[in-house]
Amino acid sequence: MVFHSLIRIFELRSKILTLEKTQNSFGFLLAYSYLCSMNEVITAINDALWSYLLIGALIGCGVWFTWRTRFVQFRMVGEMLRLLTDSAVDTIETQVKEKTRSRHISSFQAFAVSVATRVGTGNLAGVASAIAIGGPGAVFWMWVIALIGSATAFVESTLAQLFKKRHKDSFIGGPAYYIEKGLKMRWLAVTFAVLITCQFGLSNNSIQANTICGAMQEAFGFSPVWVGAVLAAMGLFIVFGGIQRIAQVSAVLVPTMAVGYVILALVIIVMNIDMIPHVLKVIVEDAFGIHQIAGGGIGATIMYGVKRGLFSNEAGEGSAPNVAATASTSHPVKQGLIQALGVFTDTLLVCSCTAFIILISGLYQVPELNGIALTQSALQGEVGAAGPVFLAIAIFLFAFSSIIGNYYYGEANIRFITPNTKVMTVYRIFSAGVMVVFGALASFELVWNIVDLFMAFLTACNLVAIVLLGRYAFRLLDDYRQQKRRGIKEPVFHRSTLPEIEDEIECW
């Protein structure tokens, strides 16, 4: 009876939990009470961290990096697109010409893996949650954090390329590596490695599974237990194949799912083009509205906009640099520019599509709707019964690619802590197996609260590092621009450019 009650805790979503249904179950009451207390504690910590630390730090760092890079995210958009296109073409040509699979990861493949982790539940469930709780104005603050955060993304990914290390199959790197090599602070590097493993490799994967199961149950009535089991089996098969298999899968899934979803959103927007001015007006008014300020709601609007924006685009969180470091490129700045473009792709394009669909429907004002259920209901109102089905399939592709991408973040950082293969095996089982099943069964609020907590600590740790090491990224950008001005189409970095850390640069 107790076991049955515990399963019920995870199967039922918080909005339909009623004590009347299980009032005779002592196990349910005990576990439910414990989870409620844990949720309250985590929520209080999250509110304190995000209200008084993270929002100001993220915006402040974004503005500083934007200024010091001379607005790199705006001035060099053309170069970003050129680099991504050239890398995509080179990747296709290499795969066609070579009889054996290349063991190196291209810039495009690294971009695809990082976008795979960005483009997922944050774009569909996260945006809906931000609007439902923070109001339409949260969308404006998601845009703000993306516009200035792309400069932060450039800096952290450039540093990851600079301090990357050689690995048996490809390159490896990320914040843990540039903290240790650049700051000589092993303890902080290990702290970051542990945090990102807990955040992405474990808790973040529970979010993806939770959203997939919610969408599948809403659209097809599938049991979360069976969906979670299937997801775990598929995830384990892929992650045991290594980063090359992850890159290959992501390079196919990401463009397909992103293009399909954006096309659907554009069709809906065109069908309701007369409502777009009203939608934009609602977003801006809610972001700065007198009613929100007077009622104290402006704080929640900004907080949820920034939190969900960060969860979606990951700018400054320290996650994307782990994949950026794996790319084989001639200059660190190249991958920094490509990763900055990923922030725009995620938030300004995909997140905006979801926001417009929800705001056009008007269902964000319905208190009972939140998360993926809100997005599905909005789609159903616009395109009929096919909407939830399409979204269930889309969220499966979005979130599943995020699961395998998230796993790699943890793998790279566990390798930093220890070379023990047994530890890696245990991690793989927990990341793609146990935590996926847990997320499939856990409540919506619990998994999001856990992710927000780890995300806050992780981001704070990374921001300290990139502020202290940012000067190297600025000098690399100057070197790249100087070579471009001399007519060099493909700039090449030489370690002698940074003589003071020449001994710490292994791969250049």
Side-chain angles (χ1 to χ4, degrees):
M1 189 64 172
V2 173
F3 175 78
H4 172 74
S5 301
L6 292 174
I7 291 297
R8 288 288 295 165
I9 293 173
F10 294 117
E11 287 180 339
L12 296 174
R13 293 295 176 264
S14 61
K15 291 186 180 299
I16 61 171
L17 285 174
T18 56
L19 292 178
E20 291 81 2
K21 290 183 179 180
T22 53
Q23 59 185 353
N24 296 322
S25 172
F26 174 74
F28 175 84
L29 294 175
L30 182 63
Y32 179 65
S33 175
Y34 170 76
L35 290 177
C36 285
S37 300
M38 184 171 66
N39 260 327
E40 290 175 0
V41 172
I42 295 175
T43 300
I45 296 173
N46 282 338
D47 288 345
L49 288 173
W50 286 99
S51 299
Y52 302 108
L53 176 63
L54 265 299
I55 291 178
L58 282 167
I59 295 177
C61 288
V63 171
W64 167 246
F65 290 137
T66 297
W67 175 258
R68 286 294 283 110
T69 59
R70 288 174 286 176
F71 300 87
V72 64
Q73 69 268 47
F74 306 119
R75 295 178 59 186
M76 301 188 72
V77 170
E79 181 70 0
M80 295 176 191
L81 294 172
R82 183 191 71 81
L83 290 170
L84 184 62
T85 303
D86 289 350
S87 177
V89 172
D90 291 343
T91 299
I92 295 173
E93 291 178 347
T94 299
Q95 291 175 345
V96 171
K97 292 178 181 179
E98 292 187 355
K99 294 182 180 180
T100 58
R101 181 180 60 184
S102 173
R103 303 301 289 178
H104 291 289
I105 304 302
S106 70
S107 292
F108 174 73
Q109 287 176 317
F111 171 82
V113 174
S114 64
V115 172
T117 62
R118 287 187 176 116
V119 179
T121 56
N123 304 85
L124 302 176
V127 172
S129 176
I131 294 174
I133 301 175
V139 178
F140 176 85
W141 294 105
M142 291 181 73
W143 291 340
V144 169
I145 204 64
L147 288 172
I148 64 175
S150 55
T152 306
F154 165 80
V155 171
E156 62 183 359
S157 293
T158 300
L159 290 172
Q161 269 287 316
L162 176 64
F163 290 103
K164 67 185 180 182
K165 295 178 62 177
R166 287 187 177 87
H167 190 53
K168 61 179 182 179
D169 292 332
S170 60
F171 298 112
I172 192 169
Y177 295 83
Y178 60 64
I179 290 172
E180 182 179 49
K181 287 177 170 289
L183 296 179
K184 309 294 186 184
M185 300 171 68
R186 172 75 181 176
W187 66 271
L188 184 60
V190 171
T191 300
F192 178 90
V194 172
L195 286 172
I196 195 170
T197 301
C198 293
Q199 163 69 348
F200 281 89
L202 301 178
S203 64
N204 209 332
N205 274 356
S206 68
I207 283 278
Q208 312 301 328
N210 183 273
T211 305
I212 290 176
C213 291
M216 290 295 177
Q217 189 173 38
E218 182 76 16
F220 306 112
F222 292 164
S223 169
V225 176
W226 291 109
V227 175
V230 172
L231 286 175
M234 294 175 62
L236 288 170
F237 172 75
I238 292 177
V239 300
F240 272 94
I243 181 61
Q244 284 76 26
R245 184 177 291 172
I246 294 173
Q248 287 181 328
V249 172
S250 298
V252 174
L253 286 183
V254 173
T256 302
M257 66 186 181
V259 170
Y261 182 70
V262 169
I263 289 175
L264 174 64
L266 291 176
V267 169
I268 294 175
I269 290 172
V270 170
M271 291 169 55
N272 299 274
I273 194 67
D274 56 317
M275 294 187 63
I276 299 304
H278 171 71
V279 168
L280 294 174
K281 180 181 178 181
V282 168
I283 291 173
V284 174
E285 285 185 347
D286 195 72
F288 298 100
I290 299 299
H291 296 295
Q292 286 75 23
I293 297 175
I298 189 66
T301 300
I302 296 174
M303 182 172 68
Y304 277 95
V306 173
K307 278 204 299 188
R308 296 297 168 253
L310 176 62
F311 177 83
S312 181
N313 62 53
E314 302 175 13
E317 193 174 2
S319 51
N322 292 274
V323 176
T326 66
S328 178
T329 185
S330 65
H331 200 290
V333 165
K334 286 185 176 182
Q335 200 61 34
L337 291 172
I338 288 177
Q339 296 304 125
L341 182 63
V343 176
F344 287 152
T345 302
D346 174 87
T347 306
L348 299 184
L349 182 60
V350 185
C351 285
S352 295
C353 287
T354 301
F356 283 176
I357 292 173
I358 292 173
L359 294 177
I360 286 172
S361 73
L363 293 176
Y364 64 92
Q365 297 175 320
V366 179
E368 292 77 17
L369 293 176
N370 197 351
I372 194 64
L374 173 55
T375 309
Q376 283 183 300
S377 298
L379 267 179
Q380 183 172 3
E382 298 300 323
V383 299
V389 175
F390 172 86
L391 193 61
I393 297 172
I395 195 62
F396 179 87
L397 296 177
F398 275 78
F400 184 72
S401 65
S402 293
I403 288 174
I404 58 179
N406 288 338
Y407 154 80
Y408 178 71
Y409 290 161
E411 177 186 301
N413 285 274
I414 286 181
R415 291 188 188 281
F416 173 81
I417 298 173
T418 175
N420 191 313
T421 56
K422 292 182 179 179
V423 174
M424 185 61 64
T425 299
V426 171
Y427 164 69
R428 286 172 175 169
I429 293 172
F430 268 85
S431 177
V434 175
M435 292 306 296
V436 168
V437 174
F438 169 78
L441 303 177
S443 69
F444 178 85
E445 285 79 7
L446 178 60
V447 292
W448 278 98
N449 279 338
I450 292 173
V451 164
D452 284 342
L453 180 64
F454 280 111
M455 186 166 63
F457 288 117
L458 181 67
T459 304
C461 185
N462 184 57
L463 289 179
V464 170
I466 61 178
V467 167
L468 295 175
L469 295 173
R471 62 187 183 278
Y472 299 126
F474 307 149
R475 288 169 62 182
L476 288 171
L477 180 58
D478 289 339
D479 176 65
Y480 188 87
R481 283 170 167 162
Q482 289 172 10
Q483 292 190 47
K484 293 290 289 186
R485 282 195 290 266
R486 293 199 301 268
I488 301 174
K489 182 180 179 181
E490 301 296 342
V492 177
F493 170 68
H494 301 282
R495 65 172 65 190
S496 58
T497 305
L498 299 173
E500 68 272 31
I501 58 170
E502 188 172 351
D503 293 339
E504 300 296 335
I505 303 174
E506 177 181 316
C507 302
W508 301 96

